[in-house]
Amino acid sequence: YDPWTEVWRVTGAMNTARYWHTATLLGNGTVLVTGGIGSSGYLNSAELYDPWTGVWRVTGAMNSARERHTATLLGNGTVLVSGGWTGSVYLNSAE
């Protein structure tokens, strides 16, 4: 979505379809998407979106599969992922 023109445009598709994930805007303008639920179940995977190219690329996986978690950009540029649900237990872990 371009707020200046108020126009939506189609861009590249994620590598893994997911819902109940998080999306975190990073300091360099890319977007980190983590976890959620996909067709194979709960996800520990993560992807980076580059808005200048419209391309998604797979990046390092989390240690725990989780959905409905939080992902917070910290002052040093890292992202803290915490909590969530695995389908059977609530998580108190963070990474």
Side-chain angles (χ1 to χ4, degrees):
Y1 178 73
D2 183 337
W4 298 105
T5 62
E6 298 181 354
V7 173
W8 290 89
R9 70 176 176 84
V10 176
T11 189
M14 291 187 290
N15 292 283
T16 302
R18 58 184 77 221
Y19 66 100
W20 284 336
H21 55 279
T22 59
T24 306
L25 178 63
L26 302 179
N28 64 1
T30 61
V31 178
L32 174 68
V33 170
T34 61
I37 300 176
S39 60
S40 63
Y42 293 87
L43 303 171
N44 68 338
S45 62
E47 302 185 38
L48 283 169
Y49 174 69
D50 183 336
W52 294 276
T53 64
V55 173
W56 292 87
R57 71 176 175 86
V58 175
T59 189
M62 297 184 293
N63 294 295
S64 298
R66 58 182 80 222
E67 53 96 356
R68 290 189 253 186
H69 53 285
T70 64
T72 305
L73 179 64
L74 302 177
N76 65 0
T78 62
V79 176
L80 175 67
V81 172
S82 61
W85 173 251
T86 66
S88 59
V89 298
Y90 293 103
L91 297 171
N92 65 354
S93 62
E95 50 188 298

